[in-house]
Amino acid sequence: MDYSVVIPVYNERDNLEILLNSLTEVMDSLQKEYEIICINDGSSDGSDEVLRALKRKYEQLMVLEFERNCGLTAALAAGFFRAQGEIVITMDADMQNDPQDIPKLLKQMGDYDVVCGVRSRRHDPWLRIISSRIANYIRNKVTKEEITDVGCTLRAYKRKFLSRLKLFDGMHRFLPTLLKWEGAKVVEVEVDHHPRLYGKTKYGVWNRVFKAFIDLLAVVWMKRRRLNYKIKE
Ligand code: UDP
Ligand code: MG
């Protein structure tokens, strides 16, 4: 298998058919073997039924159902674990990411192990955009990193690096950092971003700030305590 597209889904009923339509069109054009893994993260809006119907239409679609909402990191981790593709592509289910950008990510893959999308013209409420910029700035300063857009799910990863990760809730914001520790070479690429057409965002300013700060402390601790030895020849 060449590619696995991993998509976390939490209450995205009205976006799923549009997503699958345009995603399969792009993936088919690559003429490689691929699968799409949707992780239904405890949706209560009928996304499960829509996914079941789509599964009948698209044989390349695999659906994993969580018993309850477990969060974005858990959904991604479940997808990573099931993925068979050598390259794993992640994206949001709400069509804010554009499937048309996937070939662009893959083109960069050659010399790199992780290609991160950067939403340079982001279409979200201004308060969200400003708070994300501040959060990214603080995160980068504290962890001595240079990740422009940790909140962009649209990325491509070589799967062999993903399988080295032990993930914890909230760590989706630090994936490039954790992967660099595993030896991955990371590059950034500008991608499109669209306004959300259906459903609501799951992240506000205040429901993230405290948790994301604690998570940042955890990453600082891990960075300091990470085992990083080399054995002499
Ligand atoms: N999501 C999820 N579990 C959650 C929260 C979000 O699977 O607990 C999914 C959601 O359905 C979407 C993606 O993660 O596909 C990003 O969420 P959202 O679009 O709400 O975030 P934003 O784009 O506003 O940052
Ligand atoms: Mg979104």
Side-chain angles (χ1 to χ4, degrees), residues 1-4 35 37 62 79-88 159:
M1 176 87 62
D2 299 293
Y3 305 130
S4 300
E35 62 180 355
I37 306 178
M62 179 198 287
F80 294 164
F81 189 67
R82 279 303 184 88
Q84 311 232 331
E86 279 184 31
I87 292 177
V88 176
R159 185 163 56 88

